[in-house]
Amino acid sequence: MLTRTEVERLAAAANALRPDWPLRSLCTFLERDHAHRAYRDVAVALAWVATDPKTQTPKRMNELGPWWQAVAGTETVGGRYTPCDIEGDAHRSFPKGNCSACRADQLARDTDTPPTQVQPLTGAYSTGANLVRQAAGLPTKEHL
């Protein structure tokens, strides 16, 4: 929900983008039609509409258009992003769809798989290792 200060700031921003839109009219319009929305959502939609050359008045925001699709994926709750759905403080403090705790859990699951058994060197590998040992003056595998 927009506060009076937020409405005034948004109206001033829109007026700076579109000086032909009176500041007082913008405040009235925003309070009447969009005060129930999140500050960020109104800011994005208003900037979109104000910079669109097809827009004649800010009332175009009342239509369903790409300006509302631009904010659809970033739903907010109380001025913050919608938290992750998974219970627990570690998850609830991150935004849904971009949760660092979920990524950390996934990485932990990926590393929980047992490591593959390391096979002893055979064939060309053991021969090459012996050549390196000989070159370094170390005893070869057969002499260990």
Side-chain angles (χ1 to χ4, degrees):
M1 181 146 168
L2 297 177
T3 65
R4 178 66 187 171
T5 302
E6 291 171 337
V7 167
E8 290 171 355
R9 287 178 182 162
L10 291 169
N15 179 257
L17 293 169
R18 294 292 294 264
D20 55 317
W21 294 353
L23 190 59
R24 183 179 233 172
S25 297
L26 284 163
C27 286
T28 302
F29 166 70
L30 292 172
E31 283 182 330
R32 183 187 65 230
D33 294 354
H34 298 286
H36 65 283
R37 297 184 185 272
Y39 181 61
R40 182 188 169 279
D41 294 352
V42 176
V44 170
L46 186 58
W48 183 300
V49 169
T51 57
D52 187 347
K54 297 176 186 173
T55 303
Q56 299 301 315
T57 70
K59 290 186 180 182
R60 190 167 184 217
M61 276 180 59
N62 292 348
E63 300 171 12
L64 186 60
W67 42 92
W68 293 121
Q69 293 169 359
V71 298
T74 57
E75 185 179 334
T76 59
V77 174
R80 295 185 52 196
Y81 292 110
T82 301
C84 180
D85 292 333
I86 298 174
E87 291 300 319
D89 291 338
H91 290 275
R92 302 294 290 171
S93 61
F94 291 103
K96 180 179 180 177
N98 190 21
C99 177
S100 296
C102 286
R103 286 195 303 276
D105 289 349
Q106 181 62 45
L107 288 171
R109 282 192 297 273
D110 291 346
T111 58
D112 283 347
T113 56
T116 57
Q117 192 70 10
V118 177
Q119 300 296 322
L121 294 177
T122 58
Y125 291 111
S126 63
T127 305
N130 280 334
L131 291 173
V132 170
R133 286 188 186 101
Q134 285 174 355
L138 301 171
T140 60
K141 189 172 183 176
E142 294 85 28
H143 295 98
L144 290 177

